[in-house]
């Protein structure tokens, strides 16, 4: 008898017995052993902050079946206490947490103050546009409602982790992207403008990268969604762009590298308008400036 990983649930080991099969070959029988492998053999760590135990465990079980390590918390103080020791790889937050109607928003604000690159997803029953925009403005990378299917949710999370893992791998072709005053470090997920650091969320970082990688090329809102691994509506993309512009303008009030192309999307200008041959912006290029 040997021990091997259970393909259906990598959080358990299986006792596997190869038994003689009268029809030829072998047949396998296994029994679950309540033993958890060490952390280095397990997947990314997801934290779920959700006040409804049944919902929390439902999502936790689904993520564990995908090979993730999962921690669950019923309220903001308990989650914060755990995060003081170590941040997870991704946090999923409900907006309403117990007796805090907007506890999730406050938790997002506190987490974002500690890490600009920690992936944060809101998963909530509150589906108003105002709540979604509020969550994204606080720095969340995605805002999803609980009617999303588990298959869709796990696929979105897997895509986000693939992008994070790819960033952490050495890339001889491009680890630092420089465009005029912009510097993006793809290994460290950091951005700078004219030598000054600009704190971007993961979604914002990839939107800037998608625009700056090919200066002058127009990127549609769908292309920006794809680059950020997020499913967002046009208004949410607009909110992200405004937030990005404000962050760069805080370091340089002449920042004007992101142009709106009305009805299409956005493009990045490598040189400031005053020193380039690019024509003055028309009304269609300034439609949604903050």
């Amino acid at each position: 008898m040997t021990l091997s990983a259970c393909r259906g649930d990598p959080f358990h080991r299986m006792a596997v017995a190869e038994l003689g099969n009268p029809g030829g070959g072998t047949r396998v029988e296994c029994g679950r052993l309540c033993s958890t492998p060490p952390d280095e053999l397990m997947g990314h760590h997801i934290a779920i902050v959700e006040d409804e135990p049944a919902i929390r465990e439902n999502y936790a079980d689904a993520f564990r079946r995908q090979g993730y390590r999962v921690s669950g918390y019923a309220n903001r103080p308990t989650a914060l206490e755990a995060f003081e020791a170590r941040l997870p790889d991704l946090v999923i937050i409900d907006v309403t947490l117990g007796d805090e109607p907007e506890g999730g928003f406050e938790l997002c604000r506190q987490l974002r103050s500690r890490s600009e690159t920690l992936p944060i997803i809101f998963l909530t029953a509150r589906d108003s546009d105002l709540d979604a925009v509020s969550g994204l403005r606080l720095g969340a990378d995605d805002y999803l409602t609980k009617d999303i299917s588990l298959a869709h949710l796990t696929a979105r999370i897997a895509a986000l982790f693939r992008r994070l893992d790819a960033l952490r791998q050495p890339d001889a072709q491009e680890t630092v992207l420089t465009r005029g005053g912009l510097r993006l470090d793809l290994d460290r997920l950091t951005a700078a403008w004219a030598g000054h650091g600009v704190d971007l969320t993961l979604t914002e970082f990839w939107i800037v990268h998608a625009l700056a990688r090919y200066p002058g090329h127009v990127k549609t809102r769908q292309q920006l969604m794809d680059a950020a691994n997020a499913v967002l509506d046009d208004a949410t993309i607009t909110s992200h762009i405004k937030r990005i512009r404000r962050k760069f303008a805080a370091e340089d009030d002449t920042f004007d590298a992101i142009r709106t192309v009305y009805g299409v999307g956005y493009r990045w200008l490598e040189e400031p308008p005053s020193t380039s041959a690019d024509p003055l912006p028309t009304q269609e290029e300034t439609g949604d400036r903050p």
Side-chain angles (χ1 to χ4, degrees):
M1 179 178 291
T2 60
L3 290 176
S4 68
C6 169
R7 292 182 181 179
D9 186 350
F11 287 80
H12 293 80
R13 290 183 301 165
M14 306 297 289
V16 180
E18 293 187 352
L19 307 175
N21 188 340
T26 60
R27 62 188 175 90
V28 175
E29 290 185 353
C30 57
R32 178 170 292 187
L33 301 180
C34 294
S35 176
T36 303
D39 286 355
E40 63 267 23
L41 298 181
M42 302 171 77
H44 292 288
H45 181 200
I46 298 175
I48 305 172
V49 189
E50 161 65 58
D51 60 345
E52 292 289 342
I55 295 176
R56 186 172 63 246
E57 288 308 311
N58 185 40
Y59 287 126
D61 288 344
F63 298 150
R64 289 184 181 118
R65 286 195 295 271
Q66 298 296 318
Y68 299 117
R69 291 183 292 129
V70 184
S71 300
Y73 307 98
N75 53 62
R76 183 175 60 87
T78 303
L80 279 176
E81 183 179 359
F83 298 157
E84 285 296 325
R86 184 175 182 178
L87 287 175
D89 297 312
L90 180 145
V91 184
I92 296 175
I93 308 173
D94 193 2
V95 174
T96 301
L97 296 174
D99 58 359
E100 293 186 288
E102 298 192 348
F105 288 152
E106 179 60 25
L107 178 58
C108 178
R109 183 184 296 108
Q110 292 170 307
L111 288 174
R112 190 54 76 215
S113 70
R114 292 187 55 188
S115 171
E116 282 287 342
T117 58
L118 172 67
I120 298 174
I121 297 175
F122 277 109
L123 184 60
T124 178
R126 291 170 54 165
D127 59 358
S128 75
D129 289 342
L130 178 61
D131 285 331
V133 171
S134 296
L136 293 168
R137 284 179 174 171
L138 288 170
D141 294 288
D142 213 343
Y143 190 101
L144 307 173
T145 55
K146 288 178 179 176
D147 56 358
I148 188 173
S149 69
L150 283 174
H152 190 177
L153 176 61
T154 55
R156 296 271 286 275
I157 291 172
L160 179 58
F161 278 136
R162 281 197 301 271
R163 185 170 292 278
L164 284 171
D165 290 340
L167 278 173
R168 292 167 182 161
Q169 299 299 320
D171 186 345
Q173 294 183 344
E174 181 185 65
T175 58
V176 175
L177 177 68
T178 303
R179 295 289 184 267
L182 176 70
R183 186 180 191 274
L184 296 179
D185 188 322
L186 276 68
D187 288 332
R188 296 177 175 84
L189 291 178
T190 58
W193 178 260
H196 300 283
V198 180
D199 290 331
L200 300 176
T201 68
L202 188 63
T203 298
E204 292 165 354
F205 182 92
W206 283 113
I207 288 175
V208 172
H209 178 265
L211 290 169
R213 192 173 185 183
Y214 301 105
H217 290 212
V218 177
K219 291 293 183 180
T220 66
R221 289 172 171 82
Q222 183 61 53
Q223 288 172 322
L224 295 179
M225 291 181 206
D226 294 342
N229 272 319
V231 178
L232 310 169
D233 58 25
D234 286 357
T236 304
I237 287 289
T238 299
S239 294
H240 276 300
I241 292 293
K242 289 181 178 180
R243 182 180 172 90
I244 291 167
R245 283 171 170 158
R246 283 197 296 268
K247 289 185 175 184
F248 279 96
E251 301 299 333
D252 176 5
D253 59 11
T254 67
F255 176 82
D256 196 22
I258 299 176
R259 292 288 184 82
T260 303
V261 180
Y262 181 75
V264 182
Y266 302 90
R267 62 190 177 96
W268 183 275
L269 299 181
E270 184 172 356
E271 296 295 334
S274 60
T275 60
S276 71
D278 197 71
L280 292 174
T282 61
Q283 182 178 0
E284 71 175 9
E285 289 191 310
T286 57
D288 67 351
R289 298 265 179 93

